[in-house]
């Protein structure tokens, strides 16, 4: 809230070094490892963007795939007419607009309505896009040919992740971030201290959605041929939720802790046993609820706190994980 | 007589067929500390919720100064200058004491933020007797300390009208004395307060005036000693036989 | 007219599925996103009973419904009750139950995909024309509708004319007060959840007689059931029934008048209208 903390300074330096090291990847390798790297950074961006909104508000959003698809289509539709940078801006604006619509319809109400609304949203948009394509364009897909290499996409996604982080950090320090923490704690109190809760949530959801849309836009050249079935893939939403919650949403970097192992696991399984991958997703959700309710980072912090307290004062610390819930 | 800061005019709230507040009217002048009392279920807390916007009225009007506030959302009413505490204490559990208090000032009035908000919140915590506890997580605090934090949060808004919903309930006798002193002090500084309370000692000590409700209706309105001696009020509390 | 009849017939089955979810969410307070998997599982069991053992699906319900009851009761007792116990407030329980039932959704869907593959299934049961007002309709749809109405009526009788049913309605209104009048809330909630699962399974069995199903369609039906429940007003049995018919009619209308690919859009359009104008449910009076 005031000035820059020593911890934050340390985080900034670590982040900078990590970013520099990671950006070397395309220079060192290509093919499988680079393409895996792209997936990794993509999910890092998406799940960080997700937890910008869902972390503090605890509204489980399943709209990531819808934003992603909108971003992809923004590029595919106007690639020949407009420069790529403009397309990215369009992707961000279109996604933010969609987020505003979803928010206006559901965020005044309880979290359940929001989850349900976003649950079918990707499928809804896919149906509408398919329908309008076959009706008005008489074709199913769109070609996206660009000069971007896999390395370029990797760098763009890495920059996007860094941008998501910076914005997240700025929000956390701002009144908006504080308002959201209050809302997450007690919405009634939030309103009684003068926070327009619905508006705050909508604004944050728009920011989060815009980043997911940009991620979709950047990924568009990779698909070369874009059709609704591939661009609007609901699994993306679920993967993002799992990774973010597995890592923990209390800290900005929490989701990253979940992204790496889960991307590896899914990469290994999805290629060989596509049906089993659903079971893994199911088990991951159950594990989040029953074993790691505040994610890996939450668990670590809790254990550290307990250790510190028992060393310092000898007072019993509250239990970690299971009993506490996602507090 | 000073002009009314708050005017409640024929306020009515019905839940289905149950009329919880039945055409109640009263005024509160600038700087007054009034007690809103009555037996359980008489509609006091409902009345408070109507003033703070937690509930929307069925009919009637509430004005703060010249502005009509009835029917507004709670966040708008907070910005108009009404702050409150809750019957069952509601602190923000994931935050420290000082963050809880900053929450009270960051979104109303001058929207104080940053270093100034920190200083203000620190001073308020000192004020309610929590010196040196700024960075304690509220979830580790005792009930009375949480109540203090909640009061500091309400004061942080620098409200034109402060609503206390049974702020003294659940305190032990020594805590109660401290609590009564604290409210008295705040009142003497000129802050306008409505307190819903069951602790009669506190009402007698603190309130210049009392509004008594029973079954949703206002049955008495006057100085504390007069009102508490009123046969209607005694009947409402104790039943017919003792009147 | 044809739209009206087809839509009503479809609505009958939807009503059954949505009543199941109403019991689970309205009374047991568990937002069960794996509800559709119970439905799909029932479809497969009915299919298996019919094609292997030649059991009439209507009779099959006698086996399927109790099986679903037991299975859902076990799920509640083992997985969901611990969540209810640890939840500090309703919001936390909602997030936890949403995530946990997502887990179940994917787990069951994955298991069914492993067992049956991704192919579409159907079987021929009473696939003969039946004339209503001169127009022919598939007899299986009519039979499914009648059976659905019967099961719903039984539920209605149970809820409004038995002690146990009154207990279910009581915890739907207010679990805390229900406890005060000596209702075992935890047990009643478990029972409501199990009963809800059984109803959904009945809906699935009836659906399988006229609908082509596959292992991964559960989510779509969960979605529809959820929207019906919200339209009807959470916990409102009559509202949910009415909403089911509205949804059945509007889906049929959109599918036959505009494009079958846009049924979900029709569902969402209704959903948005309800959220914007009557979030408390179509039959309920506006409350604060």
């Amino acid at each position: 809230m005031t000035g820059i903390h020593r911890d934050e300074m340390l985080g900034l330096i670590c982040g900078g070094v990590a970013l520099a090291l990671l950006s070397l990847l395309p220079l060192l390798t290509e093919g499988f490892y680079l393409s895996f790297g792209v997936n990794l950074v993509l999910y890092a961006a998406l799940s960080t963007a997700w937890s910008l909104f869902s972390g503090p508000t605890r509204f489980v959003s399943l709209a990531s795939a819808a934003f992603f698809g909108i971003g992809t289509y923004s590029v595919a539709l106007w690639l020949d007419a407009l420069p790529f940078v403009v397309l990215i801006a369009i992707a961000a604006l279109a996604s933010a607009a969609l987020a505003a619509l979803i928010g206006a319809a559901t965020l005044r109400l309880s979290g359940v309505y929001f989850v349900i609304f976003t649950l079918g949203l990707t499928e809804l948009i896919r149906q509408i896009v398919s329908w309008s394509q076959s009706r008005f364009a008489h074709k199913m897909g769109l070609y996206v040919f660009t000069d971007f290499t896999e390395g370029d996409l990797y760098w763009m996604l890495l920059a996007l992740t860094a941008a998501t982080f910076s914005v997240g950090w700025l929000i956390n320090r701002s009144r908006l971030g504080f308002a959201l923490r209050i809302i997450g704690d007690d919405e009634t109190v939030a309103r009684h201290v003068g926070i327009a809760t619905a508006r705050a949530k909508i604004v944050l959801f728009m920011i989060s959605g815009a980043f997911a849309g940009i991620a979709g836009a950047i990924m568009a050249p990779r698909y070369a041929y874009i059709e609704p079935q591939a661009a609007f893939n609901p699994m993306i939403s679920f993967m993002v939720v799992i990774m973010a919650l597995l890592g923990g949403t209390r800290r900005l970097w929490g989701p990253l802790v979940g992204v790496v192992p889960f991307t590896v696991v899914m990469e290994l399984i999805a290629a060989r046993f596509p049906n089993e991958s659903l079971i893994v997703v199911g088990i991951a959700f159950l594990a989040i609820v029953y074993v790691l309710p505040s994610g890996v980072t939450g668990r670590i912090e809790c254990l550290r706190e307990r250790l510190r307290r028992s060393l310092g004062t000898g007072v019993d610390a509250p239990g970690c994980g299971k009993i506490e819930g996602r507090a | 007589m000073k002009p009314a800061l708050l005017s409640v005019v024929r306020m009515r709230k019905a839940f289905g067929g149950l009329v919880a507040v039945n055409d109640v009217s009263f005024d509160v002048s600038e700087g007054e500390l009034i007690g809103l009392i009555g037996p359980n279920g008489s509609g006091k807390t409902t009345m408070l919720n109507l003033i703070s916007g937690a509930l929307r009225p069925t009919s009637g009007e509430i004005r703060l100064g010249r502005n009509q506030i009835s029917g507004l959302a709670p966040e708008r009413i907070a910005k108009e200058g009404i702050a409150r505490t809750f019957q069952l204490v509601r602190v923000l559990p994931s935050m420290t004491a000082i963050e809880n208090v900053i929450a009270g000032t960051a979104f109303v009035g001058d929207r104080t933020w940053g270093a100034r908000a920190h200083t203000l919140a620190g001073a308020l915590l000192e004020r309610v007797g929590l010196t040196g506890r700024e960075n304690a997580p509220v979830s580790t605090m005792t009930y009375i300390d949480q109540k203090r934090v909640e009061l500091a949060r309400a004061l942080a808004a620098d409200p034109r009208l402060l609503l206390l919903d049974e702020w003294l309930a659940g305190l032990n006798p020594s805590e109660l004395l401290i609590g009564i002193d604290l409210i008295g002090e705040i009142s003497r500084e000129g802050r306008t307060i409505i307190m819903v309370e069951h602790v009669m000692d506190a009402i007698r000590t603190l309130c210049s005036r009392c509004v008594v409700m029973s079954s949703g209706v206002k049955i008495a309105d006057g100085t504390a000693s007069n009102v508490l001696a009123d046969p209607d009020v005694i009947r409402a509390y104790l039943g017919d036989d003792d009147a | 007219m044809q739209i009206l009849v087809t839509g009503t017939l479809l609505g009958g089955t939807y009503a059954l599925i949505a009543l199941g979810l109403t019991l689970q969410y309205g009374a047991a307070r568990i937002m069960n996103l794996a509800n559709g998997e119970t439905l799909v599982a029932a479809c497969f069991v009915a299919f298996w009973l019919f094609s292997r053992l030649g059991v009439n699906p209507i009779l099959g319900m006698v086996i399927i419904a109790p099986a679903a009851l037991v299975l859902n009761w076990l799920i509640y007792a083992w997985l969901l009750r611990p969540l209810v116990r640890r939840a500090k407030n309703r919001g936390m329980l909602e997030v936890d139950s949403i995530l946990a039932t997502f887990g179940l959704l994917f787990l069951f869907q994955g298991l069914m995909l492993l067992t049956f593959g991704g192919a579409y299934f159907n079987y021929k049961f009473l696939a003969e024309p039946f004339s209503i007002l001169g127009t022919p309709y598939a007899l299986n749809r009519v039979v499914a509708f009648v059976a659905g109405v019967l099961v719903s009526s039984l539920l209605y009788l149970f809820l409004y004319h038995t002690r146990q049913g009154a207990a279910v309605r009581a915890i739907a209104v207010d679990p805390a007060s229900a406890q005060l009048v000596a209702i075992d809330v935890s047990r009643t909630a478990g029972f409501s959840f199990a009963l809800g699962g059984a109803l959904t399974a009945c809906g699935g069995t009836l659906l399988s007689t006229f609908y082509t199903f596959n292992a991964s369609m559960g989510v779509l039906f969960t979605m529809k059931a959820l929207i019906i429940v919200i339209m009807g007003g959470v916990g409102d049995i009559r509202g949910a029934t009415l909403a089911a018919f509205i949804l059945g009619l509007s889906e049929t209308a959109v599918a036959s008048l505009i494009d079958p690919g846009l049924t979900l859009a029709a569902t969402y359009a209704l959903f948005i209208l309800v959220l914007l104008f009557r979030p408390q449910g179509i039959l309920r009076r506006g409350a604060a």
Side-chain angles (χ1 to χ4, degrees):
Chain A
M1 223 164 281
T2 46
I4 292 181
H5 238 257
R6 212 175 45 140
D7 285 0
E8 286 177 334
M9 207 60 213
L10 197 69
L12 209 61
I13 294 169
C14 288
V17 172
L19 193 65
L21 286 176
L22 283 172
S23 64
L24 295 177
L25 183 76
L27 305 177
L28 302 174
T29 173
E30 45 192 46
F32 174 76
Y33 285 103
L34 183 57
S35 123
F36 180 67
V38 170
N39 277 349
L40 216 58
V41 188
L42 169 67
Y43 277 110
L46 285 175
S47 50
T48 310
W50 182 86
S51 58
L52 282 188
F53 171 74
S54 297
T57 59
R58 275 171 230 164
F59 277 52
V60 179
S61 158
L62 294 169
S64 304
F67 297 134
F68 184 87
I70 295 240
T72 315
Y73 259 86
S74 305
V75 170
L77 280 173
W78 294 298
L79 185 65
D80 298 329
L82 296 165
F84 197 67
V85 187
V86 177
L87 293 177
I88 285 188
I90 292 176
L93 289 176
S95 301
L98 175 65
L101 285 177
I102 305 169
T106 60
L107 286 177
R108 295 171 303 137
L109 307 163
S110 89
V112 176
Y113 298 90
F114 177 76
V115 180
I116 296 167
F117 198 91
T118 57
L119 172 64
L121 185 72
T122 312
E123 180 65 15
L124 168 73
I125 297 178
R126 192 188 63 72
Q127 275 194 7
I128 294 174
V129 170
S130 302
W131 179 75
S132 36
Q133 273 189 341
S134 64
R135 176 90 194 237
F136 303 112
H138 306 292
K139 57 182 176 185
M140 276 328 284
L142 294 161
Y143 288 98
V144 177
F145 292 126
T146 59
D147 301 331
F148 292 125
T149 62
E150 191 92 337
D152 294 335
L153 300 185
Y154 176 85
W155 278 317
M156 283 194 275
L157 286 170
L158 198 61
L160 178 66
T161 311
T164 315
F165 257 82
S166 317
V167 169
W169 183 71
L170 288 174
I171 291 175
N172 280 348
R173 292 165 55 89
S174 73
R175 241 193 228 101
L176 175 63
F178 188 53
L180 285 153
R181 281 177 60 206
I182 299 171
I183 295 171
D185 263 9
D186 190 328
E187 183 137 4
T188 306
V189 169
R191 300 189 71 183
H192 279 95
V193 296
I195 299 169
T197 52
R199 202 180 56 197
K201 281 186 269 191
I202 292 173
V203 168
L204 197 70
F205 192 47
M206 287 169 70
I207 296 173
S208 161
F211 279 112
I214 296 175
I218 296 176
M219 285 296 279
R222 200 194 201 197
Y223 295 126
Y225 181 69
I226 289 170
E227 51 177 358
Q229 206 73 39
F232 295 97
N233 170 11
M235 274 318 278
I236 294 177
S237 303
F238 290 104
M239 299 281 287
V240 166
V241 173
I242 291 177
M243 290 176 189
L245 290 180
L246 213 53
T249 55
R250 284 194 208 173
R251 292 278 173 271
L252 204 51
W253 48 271
L256 293 190
V257 180
V259 167
V260 180
F262 205 69
T263 314
V264 173
V265 169
M266 288 313 279
E267 191 85 6
L268 288 176
I269 292 173
R272 266 166 269 177
F273 316 100
N275 289 345
E276 279 84 345
S277 69
L278 283 183
I279 297 178
V280 174
V281 169
I283 292 171
F285 268 116
L286 292 174
I288 287 169
V289 178
Y290 295 100
V291 187
L292 288 167
S294 42
V296 174
T297 51
R299 189 63 177 260
I300 291 171
E301 261 178 39
C302 187
L303 289 174
R304 202 174 61 179
E305 181 79 355
R306 190 194 289 189
L307 189 71
R308 208 190 51 166
R309 276 197 217 177
S310 60
L311 287 180
T313 60
V315 178
D316 279 346
C320 288
K322 276 186 185 165
I323 318 124
E324 275 195 311
R326 206 168 294 92
Chain B
M1 196 179 143
K2 288 182 194 167
L5 173 71
L6 183 86
S7 311
V8 177
V9 186
R10 298 182 62 79
M11 182 48 49
R12 186 184 188 85
K13 177 68 189 177
F15 298 100
L18 176 81
V19 182
V21 172
N22 194 348
D23 293 346
V24 173
S25 306
F26 63 91
D27 283 353
V28 183
S29 309
E30 193 92 46
E32 229 180 347
L33 194 173
I34 81 155
L36 185 55
I37 61 174
N40 283 323
S42 56
K44 309 175 299 275
T45 292
T46 308
M47 188 67 237
L48 221 55
N49 284 337
L50 289 167
I51 299 174
S52 79
L55 294 173
R56 294 169 79 85
T58 307
S59 65
E61 198 182 84
I62 301 174
R63 281 192 306 272
L64 183 71
R66 286 198 198 121
N67 303 339
Q68 169 154 344
I69 58 164
S70 42
L72 293 183
E75 61 266 27
R76 292 284 309 281
I77 291 177
K79 285 190 204 297
E80 290 287 329
I82 294 182
R84 70 172 293 178
T85 66
F86 292 86
Q87 190 170 13
L88 299 168
V89 65
R90 288 185 102 140
V91 285
L92 302 163
S94 79
M95 299 189 183
T96 61
I98 197 154
E99 286 175 319
N100 262 276
V101 181
I102 293 173
T105 182
F107 306 96
V108 292
D110 306 336
R111 294 163 58 85
T112 315
W113 183 245
R116 272 186 49 224
H118 227 83
T119 319
L120 172 74
L124 283 169
L125 281 174
E126 216 172 298
R127 180 76 210 280
V128 296
L130 291 172
T131 315
R133 305 282 302 279
E134 287 88 349
N135 295 316
V138 286
S139 54
T140 63
M141 287 180 147
T142 58
Y143 191 65
I144 180 172
D145 285 349
Q146 292 190 348
K147 289 206 145 194
R148 286 173 154 146
V149 170
E150 204 187 22
L151 179 61
R153 183 176 73 207
L155 288 173
D158 190 18
R160 296 166 73 187
L161 173 66
L162 177 63
L163 307 175
L164 301 176
D165 194 354
E166 296 193 30
W167 192 77
L168 296 166
L171 303 188
N172 69 32
S174 60
E175 290 167 346
L176 195 59
L177 289 178
I178 302 171
I180 292 175
D181 276 351
L182 189 57
I183 296 177
E185 239 176 71
I186 293 165
S187 167
R188 278 192 294 282
E189 287 167 4
R191 183 115 23 221
T192 317
I193 303 174
I194 299 179
M195 58 190 285
V196 165
E197 201 50 75
H198 276 302
V199 182
M200 283 304 157
D201 284 346
I203 298 285
R204 265 186 246 276
T205 321
L206 291 169
C207 301
S208 50
R209 211 181 106 214
C210 280
V211 171
V212 190
M213 288 178 70
S214 175
S215 311
V217 186
K218 181 172 96 168
I219 57 167
D221 184 344
T223 62
S225 48
N226 282 349
V227 156
L228 293 177
D230 185 325
D232 280 343
V233 174
I234 296 170
R235 197 176 299 126
Y237 269 93
L238 301 173
D240 280 324
D241 296 347
D242 300 276
Chain C
M1 187 61 212
Q2 199 173 352
I3 294 171
L4 223 58
V5 176
T6 315
T8 308
L9 294 180
L10 185 63
T13 314
Y14 281 173
L16 213 49
I17 302 165
L19 287 181
L21 198 73
T22 299
L23 282 181
Q24 296 191 328
Y25 184 56
R29 308 274 145 124
I30 299 287
M31 174 46 71
N32 182 13
L33 294 169
N35 188 50
E37 309 323 299
T38 305
L39 172 113
V40 177
C43 286
F44 276 111
V45 176
F47 169 78
W48 186 78
L49 285 174
F50 182 76
S51 54
R52 289 293 166 81
L53 307 175
V55 177
N56 179 328
I58 306 295
L59 281 179
M61 281 204 301
V62 178
I63 305 166
I64 292 169
L69 189 85
V70 172
L71 184 69
N72 277 276
W73 185 78
L74 288 178
I75 288 174
Y76 186 84
W78 284 342
L79 289 174
L80 301 172
R81 191 167 286 149
L83 297 184
V84 176
R85 296 234 165 97
R86 85 176 183 196
K88 288 184 199 122
N89 54 49
R90 181 128 189 222
M92 241 171 97
L93 177 60
E94 261 166 10
V95 174
D96 273 347
S97 61
I98 283 167
L99 294 175
T101 53
F102 267 144
L104 294 175
L105 186 168
F106 284 108
L107 200 61
F108 288 142
Q109 193 179 329
L111 289 173
M112 285 191 287
L113 267 176
L114 275 186
T115 324
F116 301 101
Y120 282 87
F121 288 77
N122 68 345
Y123 57 94
K124 284 207 160 41
F125 171 72
L126 297 178
E128 49 206 74
F130 179 82
S131 173
I132 301 173
L133 298 172
T135 319
Y137 297 92
L139 179 59
N140 47 28
R141 285 192 182 239
V142 179
V143 169
F145 175 79
V146 173
V149 169
L150 272 178
V151 175
S152 309
S153 315
L154 283 178
L155 176 75
Y156 195 85
L157 284 178
F158 166 75
L159 286 178
Y160 287 87
H161 294 281
T162 67
R163 191 178 280 260
Q164 182 76 18
V168 171
R169 283 186 296 135
I171 65 164
V173 176
D174 187 345
S177 319
Q179 204 157 20
L180 297 178
V181 292
I183 291 172
D184 184 339
V185 172
S186 179
R187 247 190 58 193
T188 311
F191 174 72
S192 310
F193 188 86
L195 187 65
L199 278 176
T200 304
C202 288
T205 313
L206 295 177
L207 188 76
S208 72
T209 61
F210 62 85
Y211 197 90
T212 307
F213 53 93
N214 80 345
S216 43
M217 70 169 196
V219 189
L220 201 63
F221 277 88
T222 309
M223 189 71 214
K224 287 178 185 172
L226 288 170
I227 290 174
I228 292 170
V229 169
I230 291 169
M231 272 170 72
V234 174
D236 185 338
I237 302 281
R238 280 167 300 177
T241 314
L242 179 65
F245 286 108
I246 295 177
L247 187 72
L249 284 171
S250 45
E251 271 191 3
T252 313
V254 169
S256 52
L257 297 178
I258 307 175
D259 189 312
L262 287 179
T263 49
L264 192 65
T267 314
Y268 258 86
L270 279 177
F271 190 26
I272 293 176
L273 286 178
V274 168
L275 287 182
L276 290 180
F277 300 109
R278 296 206 69 89
Q280 73 279 15
I282 40 178
L283 285 183
R284 212 162 280 176
R285 303 211 145 259

